[in-house]
Amino acid sequence: MLNLIYDDEYKKKIRVVNDYDVDGVASGHILYSALKRCGADVSIRVSDRIKNGYGLNRNIIEEAHTDGIDTIITCDNGIAAIEEIAYAKDLGMTVVVTDHHSIPFEKDEIGEIRYLKSEADAMR
């Protein structure tokens, strides 16, 4: 079985992107520490509240792409970042979303709910 964390030939650069609140910082630290302990090539980026606002955004994605990051894993954000994830996918990145917030949706004129679809590779 191919191991993407340990096999240097296939090792990918991972960026954990977490929110700046307590659950975002805690979950980001736990995920980063676990991946690092497993030998992953991982870095972490906390969204700057003033400069970038909440969660995953184009600035963070462009910075990750410039840094040669292959995979972005969000913590406590990303569920509503439909356009941002599409942008990361257009750049060839893998995106994994871990977020406890509700999936965004739209209601039509008769009240039918349509959930907005993300292009993330995985969501939890």
Side-chain angles (χ1 to χ4, degrees), residues 54-57 61 74 77-87 95 97 99 104 117-120 123:
Y54 170 80
L56 188 62
N57 59 68
I61 294 166
T74 71
N77 71 85
I79 199 86
I82 308 294
E83 291 177 20
E84 292 82 356
I85 291 169
Y87 178 62
V95 181
V97 174
D99 195 348
K117 186 177 182 207
S118 172
E119 293 181 38
M123 295 180 76

Side-chain angles (χ1 to χ4, degrees), residues 60-110:
I60 289 174
I61 294 166
E62 288 170 0
E63 177 186 85
H65 187 256
T66 298
D67 292 345
I69 300 296
D70 173 78
T71 303
I72 292 175
I73 306 175
T74 71
C75 287
D76 188 38
N77 71 85
I79 199 86
I82 308 294
E83 291 177 20
E84 292 82 356
I85 291 169
Y87 178 62
K89 296 301 297 171
D90 285 345
L91 293 174
M93 302 174 87
T94 300
V95 181
V96 176
V97 174
T98 64
D99 195 348
H100 65 96
H101 297 97
S102 298
I103 297 171
F105 62 89
E106 296 174 342
K107 282 188 179 181
D108 64 17
E109 60 278 346
I110 61 170

Side-chain angles (χ1 to χ4, degrees), residues 9-25:
E9 182 179 352
Y10 297 100
K11 195 176 215 178
K12 303 293 183 179
K13 292 177 83 171
I14 301 168
R15 169 104 8 113
V16 173
V17 176
N18 57 281
D19 196 19
Y20 47 78
D21 60 9
V22 69
D23 53 337
V25 171

